[in-house]
Amino acid sequence: MTVDWGDGSPIEQRNYGGSFAGDWTHAYAAEGAYVITATEALCPGTNVDTLTVTVGSSLLDPSGPLFMPAVVGVVLGIVGVGLANGKVPPAGGPRGRIGGPGAGGPPVPQPRPRLRLLEGIPASMVAHLVSLRDIPMRARLQFPVMQPPRIGIVPGQPTDLWEDVPCQHGCGKLGYTVAGWFCRNPTCPGRGR
Ligand SMILES: [Zn+2]
């Protein structure tokens, strides 16, 4: 019967005389996984059997050199997860801000700041841009600079950004200058004296 130890060493051969266990051993020179192949070719037919063994230590082998570092790593990992999930005290101390809402108690909803939403979008200043010389004398500013005229948006319909901005006194369209929106009609009833 022959045995191939799977590590490149010469194939051993012995005569079968009883039990092989105990007196047929092999020492491996390096760690790793080896496939032991036993072959018996003398009896009628050839019988082959294999066995895979792992030589060396693993992380879970208490006698191995890597066991303690592995245990320490696992413990530190668990501690790290615990710290990451720990309860974080609020800023300014565990009692919260001095005199602030919710100090020492559950959080209190704060009033929402007034949000001003304007409808539509500003009319195109480029499409209506004119020179100040095109504005009649004593014409009045019709829209504050910070509140330009806006074009309403109708759902389902395209919005014309270049839409004309009518005069508030019903005499035509406005022109946009560096000073704001003015009516271009010299006879606009909205003119000042
Ligand atoms: Zn006008």
Side-chain angles (χ1 to χ4, degrees):
M1 180 172 186
T2 61
V3 166
D4 182 357
W5 297 103
D7 59 350
S9 60
I11 297 177
E12 292 190 52
Q13 180 173 0
R14 288 192 187 185
N15 294 323
Y16 177 76
S19 174
F20 292 105
D23 62 342
W24 202 342
T25 61
H26 183 76
Y28 288 93
E31 296 181 354
Y34 300 93
V35 178
I36 302 174
T37 305
T39 306
E40 180 275 316
L42 295 180
C43 290
T46 299
N47 298 314
V48 179
D49 200 3
T50 61
L51 176 66
T52 301
V53 296
T54 301
V55 178
S57 63
S58 66
L59 294 180
L60 300 180
D61 183 6
S63 62
L66 297 179
F67 179 71
M68 282 310 295
V71 170
V72 172
V74 169
V75 171
L76 290 180
I78 294 175
V79 171
V81 170
L83 290 177
N85 290 326
K87 191 174 184 180
V88 179
R95 297 181 60 186
R97 288 185 292 141
I98 297 177
V108 177
Q110 296 299 303
R112 182 179 294 232
R114 299 188 67 180
L115 188 61
R116 188 177 184 187
L117 284 178
L118 298 177
E119 293 183 358
I121 59 176
S124 172
M125 301 173 188
V126 175
H128 304 92
L129 183 63
V130 295
S131 169
L132 277 174
R133 299 188 181 193
D134 297 328
I135 305 301
M137 294 294 290
R138 300 186 299 277
R140 283 177 171 169
L141 184 66
Q142 298 217 357
F143 288 95
V145 177
M146 296 305 294
Q147 297 177 8
R150 305 180 78 87
I151 300 176
I153 297 177
V154 180
Q157 295 183 9
T159 302
D160 183 11
L161 305 184
W162 299 59
E163 189 176 88
D164 288 340
V165 180
C167 173
Q168 295 178 355
H169 304 281
C171 54
K173 65 178 183 179
L174 301 184
Y176 177 74
T177 69
V178 67
W181 295 85
F182 294 94
C183 179
R184 299 180 60 183
N185 183 5
T187 62
C188 179
R191 289 192 308 155
R193 292 189 177 181

